[in-house]
Amino acid sequence: MFPKAQKITLVCDNLNTHTKEAPYTTFAPEEARRLAKKIEIGHMPKHGSWLNIAELAFAVLVRTVFKKRISDKERLQCELDAICAHRNAQAKPVLWQFSLSRVRAKMAWVYPHLVN
């Protein structure tokens, strides 16, 4: 896995399993150590908005594709391509619930220099 990569940067949420030790649960010790030496983990803010968007996209896949019993990789790829093409054609924006001023007020402890 990634034999030529000098560094692997993982962008993760704050789940407690996202550590450099995680490869040891999946790979042989030698391979896990090789990967762990290359891994750099970047954790997102707990309230990272892009993560919410990604979770919404995965929720759509769960409701439309993953609930089906698909027996082969080619059929799965076909289903995924179809739902992605459909969703991209609709191009529905994410409707944010907070205005910028409300976010800044709520998150003032994170970005105190932005609050007047």
Side-chain angles (χ1 to χ4, degrees):
M1 183 175 246
F2 308 109
K4 295 181 181 178
Q6 293 179 0
K7 177 173 74 169
I8 300 169
T9 303
L10 297 176
V11 180
C12 303
D13 60 11
N14 288 291
L15 189 62
N16 63 352
T17 60
H18 297 156
T19 65
K20 285 188 175 188
E21 292 77 27
Y24 288 92
T25 63
T26 305
F27 300 101
E30 300 80 23
E31 177 68 358
R33 179 168 167 73
R34 186 185 70 77
L35 289 170
K37 285 182 179 179
K38 294 181 177 189
I39 292 175
E40 176 182 285
I41 298 178
H43 290 284
M44 294 305 300
K46 288 183 181 177
H47 305 289
S49 59
W50 74 269
L51 188 57
N52 295 334
I53 296 170
E55 288 172 345
L56 290 171
F58 280 117
V60 169
L61 293 177
V62 167
R63 287 193 313 270
T64 58
V65 177
F66 298 143
K67 72 177 183 179
K68 300 176 184 180
R69 290 186 175 252
I70 299 174
S71 60
D72 60 85
K73 184 178 177 180
E74 291 77 22
R75 180 70 182 154
L76 175 61
Q77 189 63 58
C78 203
E79 293 277 342
L80 290 171
D81 290 345
I83 193 65
C84 288
H86 176 73
R87 299 279 301 172
N88 287 338
Q90 287 182 329
K92 290 184 178 179
V94 174
L95 301 174
W96 298 107
Q97 300 298 312
F98 284 118
S99 65
L100 181 58
S101 60
R102 284 182 61 204
V103 170
R104 285 184 174 164
K106 185 172 180 124
M107 301 296 290
W109 60 276
V110 178
Y111 304 108
H113 63 281
L114 295 177
V115 180
N116 295 333

